[in-house]
Amino acid sequence: MNVVVSNAAKIAVTGLPDEDRRRVHAWFDRLKNWPTDQAVRKNSTRLLPEEEPSVYVLRSTSDVRIFFTVDGDEITVVDVARKDSLKTVKAGDHRRE
């Protein structure tokens, strides 16, 4: 499969520590084998089952989450976020400047 990384995801990856960045790039490579890689599929959850293209979140082996869509033979990584950042958003702990 073809994997495309959005600009937002590229920017998010640059803000990660070196080890997390290396792991995220390894997961990007594994996404190419989406149809057959059981580890990738097992660690991914479809967020909106009724939406097309399908939106998934991949729980990597660290606290990094990779958000991507699957549309035919193309996977688009739309964003990358740390688990603690998602908890902050969920808790509503974001402030407007």
Side-chain angles (χ1 to χ4, degrees), residues 29-44:
D29 286 340
R30 291 188 71 171
L31 280 170
K32 293 175 185 174
N33 299 315
W34 171 253
T36 58
D37 190 321
Q38 292 304 312
V40 170
R41 295 179 73 84
K42 179 182 172 193
N43 288 308
S44 298

Side-chain angles (χ1 to χ4, degrees), residues 2 6 9 14 19-20 26-28 31 33-34 36 40-41 48 56 66-67 78-79 89-90 93:
N2 184 37
S6 72
T14 62
E19 185 61 23
D20 284 341
W27 281 109
F28 289 173
L31 280 170
N33 299 315
W34 171 253
T36 58
V40 170
R41 295 179 73 84
L48 301 170
Y56 293 85
I66 300 168
F67 296 87
V78 293
D79 208 352
V89 171
K90 182 179 178 182
D93 189 20

Side-chain angles (χ1 to χ4, degrees), residues 2 8 10 14-15 23 37 43 51 56 59 64 73 77 93:
N2 184 37
K10 288 176 185 175
T14 62
R23 286 182 182 143
D37 190 321
N43 288 308
E51 295 292 321
Y56 293 85
R59 297 171 313 278
V64 175
D73 65 348
V77 178
D93 189 20

Side-chain angles (χ1 to χ4, degrees), residues 5-17 20-21 23-24 27-28 47 56-68 77-90:
V5 181
S6 72
N7 286 334
K10 288 176 185 175
I11 291 167
V13 171
T14 62
L16 296 173
D20 284 341
R21 193 175 317 126
R23 286 182 182 143
V24 166
W27 281 109
F28 289 173
L47 296 178
Y56 293 85
V57 60
L58 170 63
R59 297 171 313 278
S60 71
T61 52
S62 63
D63 71 338
V64 175
R65 303 297 182 253
I66 300 168
F67 296 87
F68 64 97
V77 178
V78 293
D79 208 352
V80 175
R82 297 185 69 86
K83 186 177 176 181
D84 56 349
S85 297
L86 298 173
K87 286 181 182 179
T88 301
V89 171
K90 182 179 178 182

